[in-house]
Amino acid sequence: MRRWNGWGDPQISRPLPVGASSLLELSLGSGSKIPDVTFETVLDSVPVSTLPPHDLLSIDAEARLRHARGQSLPDWIALRTGEIDTFPDAVALPSCVEEIQDLFKIARHTDAIIIPYGGGTSVVGHINPPASEKPVITLDTRGMNQMMDFDELSHLATFQAGASGPEIERSLGELGYTLGHFPQSWEQSTLGGWIATRSSGQQSLLYGRIENLFAGGHIETPVGEMDIRALPASAAGPDLREFILGSEGRFGVITDAVVRVSPIPEREIFRAVFFKDFTSGVRTVRALAQENPLASMIRLSDAQETATTLALSGKETWIDLADFGLRLVGHEDTRRCLMIYALTGSQAEVHGSRSRVKEIVRAFGGLPIDLMIGELWKKSRFQTPYLRNTLWDHGYALDTLETAVPWSRLLDTCEGLKSAVQDSFSAQGSVALVMIHTSHMYKDGAGIYLTYIFPRVDSAGKMVQLWHAAKTAASQCIMDMGGTISHQHGVGEDHKPFLIREKGAVGMSVLEAVRRTLDPESMLNPGKLL
Ligand SMILES: Cc1cc2nc3c(=O)[nH]c(=O)nc-3n(C[C@H](O)[C@H](O)[C@H](O)COP(=O)(O)OP(=O)(O)OC[C@H]3O[C@@H](n4cnc5c(N)ncnc54)[C@H](O)[C@@H]3O)c2cc1C
């Protein structure tokens, strides 16, 4: 069971440590704690379905409410206040490819649209039903979650697209393998969703992004089926996988995918480093990424994120001690930045890499910390999203945004983005705690991930307005800096207005032409991406 109006398993909660609570109170004051609308109240507001009954469709109000929104901040505001203006008319849970083909027939017959749905963890409005005259069927793929084939010699595994992160790792783990794809939403998101949004896992430095892991698969499109062979490499014209990666449910339903897997590594360690400031940290992570001494993850937080991460860890006595030690060696608390890195490989490789990482880090004035912090980060990496529920209960809303730029523009983009969001909140008479980290390193650049927390206000409309102003300012800044409108979350509804600046008019017409070819009736997820 999943929380209907927030993140994750309703049985799991993460309390807010006292230190974090005072940090927020000091920086932001207190936000509105107006209670959320109840599940029963929202359930009563679900309108009658316009679709006729069918064995493959559920028109149950609860199923339709649970598939109405994803995880973006506007989605949360809608669910928590009950101001939800669209619901799917039916939810389908197909168990095989033939049922998906039948659903296409039903959609054609009833002039309905179909929204492919994986884990529903989209943060950019991918799976929200549009305001449309047409009935909406949400096609939930999670009934198709099995491993179908394992080719050990080739290190290839085939899974149905609705398999979630834990389901994939469980099946592979029993065979001594891993996919190594760990987005922070891993517990809930699915293989099909990762491919359709071009997802990036936290250890992409070693395992690659989903585009490196996706070798081929089967796609059901409204004009017929498409099989993409899994090949080690090919010069047979443009690669069709590229049309499926990032297709956001518009070009077809991915039913199964062949993925490249790796033997479970013999050893993996997560460690921390402190830098005196963000600039020296960025120089270091660039040097590490360009040499890449077998790290599977490198992630550098700015001073604000460092202070907040430490406060949120709840290990106050330990942090006071570390703070004392860091001050002694000249690391001021207002500027110090935390890097977390992971080394993955054989015992000997990890040992060798660790010495090399430390050498590079020290050359830039960094202070390696072997105790606790890195492993603690790893332990809580999938629990951090639960804090969003807790923050909301304490009167605060949290949202994130992200991009990637070449190294030469990384520092300026970080500064520009932080100012864009801060200024937007000030201009609206509000305030935000803005923090940033860089992760997902490449030889030519890196991802930037910004988190902001602001006090909730009583009106849903005002909250959405605050979000919209900040999102627009940040997206403008990303475009002006020549970044991508999304490094990992995709386009959905929220990034769509900016896509043309990134792809250009000809690029957009190519994508439209692909959409028209595969889905001439615009049956699949209209209004998203294009
Ligand atoms: C707390 C949190 C942390 C996150 N962390 C990360 C992260 O670290 N890295 C990252 O990349 N993303 C992250 N995300 C974003 C999100 O998890 C990803 O976009 C993820 O790939 C979505 O997968 P899903 O299965 O939930 O897809 P959904 O949200 O259900 O769908 C997303 C899109 O994919 C399409 N789709 C889904 N399945 C199929 C299919 N079988 N065939 C065709 N189209 C399909 C849908 O139509 C939709 O357009 C995070 C989100 C949250 C809420």
Side-chain angles (χ1 to χ4, degrees):
M1 184 58 85
R2 296 191 305 171
R3 204 179 285 255
W4 72 278
N5 64 355
W7 178 254
D9 181 340
Q11 306 302 322
I12 300 179
S13 68
R14 268 197 78 175
L16 202 59
V18 182
S21 191
S22 2
L23 178 97
L24 292 169
E25 187 81 31
L26 207 68
S27 320
L28 303 173
S30 47
S32 157
K33 290 185 189 145
I34 190 168
D36 299 328
V37 68
T38 65
F39 183 67
E40 290 69 28
T41 307
V42 186
L43 205 56
D44 283 346
S45 73
V46 180
V48 174
S49 170
T50 56
L51 280 166
H54 190 286
D55 286 352
L56 288 179
L57 303 179
S58 162
I59 55 166
D60 172 58
E62 178 165 345
R64 291 164 58 210
L65 167 55
R66 288 186 180 277
H67 289 81
R69 289 293 178 275
Q71 290 288 326
S72 74
L73 185 57
D75 293 343
W76 268 53
I77 296 168
L79 291 166
R80 300 267 179 168
T81 59
E83 294 190 22
I84 309 170
D85 49 4
T86 57
F87 294 87
D89 289 276
V91 176
L93 205 71
S95 57
C96 59
V97 169
E98 291 70 28
E99 288 185 357
I100 293 177
Q101 291 165 349
D102 288 344
L103 286 166
F104 286 172
K105 285 183 200 146
I106 297 171
R108 221 162 258 135
H109 184 64
T110 54
D111 196 26
I113 63 177
I114 291 183
I115 302 181
Y117 183 105
T121 65
S122 161
V123 282
V124 290
H126 280 122
I127 46 90
N128 299 2
S132 159
E133 303 277 282
K134 296 185 171 195
V136 176
I137 300 170
T138 294
L139 187 162
D140 185 333
T141 56
R142 281 174 300 172
M144 298 172 68
N145 61 354
Q146 300 299 306
M147 184 156 90
M148 300 164 72
D149 189 42
F150 183 63
D151 172 355
E152 184 159 19
L153 277 185
S154 315
H155 288 189
L156 292 173
T158 308
F159 283 92
Q160 289 181 304
S164 67
E167 287 164 348
I168 291 173
E169 288 300 329
R170 208 174 301 126
S171 304
L172 289 175
E174 284 167 10
L175 301 165
Y177 283 78
T178 176
L179 178 60
H181 189 74
F182 302 111
Q184 201 187 38
S185 57
W186 178 79
E187 287 182 347
Q188 310 267 335
S189 51
T190 64
L191 177 57
W194 299 337
I195 296 166
T197 58
R198 299 188 85 99
S199 157
S200 189
Q202 288 167 342
Q203 287 171 263
S204 62
L205 194 52
L206 177 70
Y207 295 106
R209 293 165 59 88
I210 199 68
E211 49 262 48
N212 309 107
L213 300 170
F214 172 52
H218 182 90
I219 300 99
E220 283 295 326
T221 82
V223 294
E225 56 186 22
M226 184 155 86
D227 272 308
I228 303 180
R229 282 186 192 178
L231 296 166
S234 163
D239 191 339
L240 289 173
R241 283 174 307 173
E242 284 297 335
F243 293 113
I244 301 308
L245 286 158
S247 56
E248 304 194 352
R250 294 232 51 191
F251 298 169
V253 180
I254 304 156
T255 62
D256 51 75
V258 186
V259 285
R260 303 188 168 109
V261 300
S262 308
I264 292 176
E266 191 185 0
R267 179 123 166 87
E268 181 161 80
I269 58 169
F270 283 69
R271 293 291 182 268
V273 176
F274 279 100
F275 292 97
K276 282 189 178 159
D277 55 40
F278 194 58
T279 308
S280 53
V282 167
R283 287 197 189 115
T284 314
V285 295
R286 187 180 72 229
L288 286 170
Q290 288 175 342
E291 175 175 323
N292 193 8
L294 274 191
S296 58
M297 188 195 86
I298 303 171
R299 171 194 160 112
L300 173 74
S301 298
D302 74 350
Q304 183 64 68
E305 192 174 277
T306 301
T308 313
T309 307
L310 294 177
L312 286 172
S313 75
K315 308 273 177 208
E316 276 153 27
T317 322
W318 192 86
I319 287 162
D320 286 348
L321 214 64
D323 180 54
F324 180 71
L326 284 163
R327 278 172 198 275
L328 282 182
V329 291
H331 284 238
E332 285 308 317
D333 61 345
T334 50
R335 301 188 70 204
R336 76 170 72 115
C337 292
L338 173 67
M339 176 182 111
I340 305 281
Y341 68 97
L343 301 175
T344 306
S346 67
Q347 290 280 6
E349 283 167 338
V350 168
H351 184 74
S353 304
R354 193 162 151 198
S355 312
R356 182 63 189 136
V357 169
K358 284 186 176 175
E359 233 172 72
I360 298 176
V361 156
R362 288 198 180 107
F364 288 94
L367 187 70
I369 307 278
D370 281 344
L371 289 172
M372 245 167 80
I373 301 181
E375 294 299 336
L376 262 181
W377 184 90
K378 181 193 177 186
K379 212 170 137 200
S380 63
R381 64 176 163 165
F382 303 126
Q383 280 163 24
T384 312
Y386 285 91
L387 275 171
R388 202 177 173 196
N389 300 326
T390 319
L391 286 171
W392 184 274
D393 295 341
H394 279 74
Y396 303 105
L398 177 149
D399 196 25
T400 62
L401 50 94
E402 40 84 48
T403 183
V405 290
W407 288 114
S408 52
R409 293 201 291 278
L410 190 111
L411 278 169
D412 287 346
T413 309
C414 287
E415 283 312 310
L417 270 177
K418 285 197 276 187
S419 307
V421 174
Q422 296 276 20
D423 294 350
S424 166
F425 275 90
S426 313
Q428 305 269 324
S430 182
V431 61
L433 192 68
V434 182
M435 51 201 133
I436 216 158
H437 68 251
T438 174
S439 55
H440 303 280
M441 309 281 157
Y442 307 90
K443 288 203 187 314
D444 51 344
I448 297 173
Y449 196 89
L450 182 143
T451 303
Y452 59 96
I453 304 172
F454 62 97
R456 279 167 54 198
V457 291
D458 286 352
S459 139
K462 175 69 183 162
M463 291 256 280
V464 173
Q465 194 184 318
L466 286 168
W467 166 83
H468 187 258
K471 182 79 178 169
T472 308
S475 302
Q476 295 283 9
C477 167
I478 288 170
M479 289 295 103
D480 294 346
M481 295 306 296
T484 173
I485 197 60
S486 176
H487 166 266
Q488 66 203 55
H489 289 162
V491 179
E493 281 174 348
D494 300 346
H495 293 149
K496 196 171 67 160
F498 296 90
L499 193 62
I500 183 145
R501 276 186 72 183
E502 185 167 336
K503 304 280 187 211
V506 174
M508 292 301 287
S509 66
V510 171
L511 295 178
E512 258 305 345
V514 176
R515 200 276 304 155
R516 269 199 308 277
T517 304
L518 296 175
D519 182 20
E521 302 138 288
S522 207
M523 177 199 288
L524 295 177
N525 214 5
K528 315 298 160 49
L529 177 67
L530 300 170

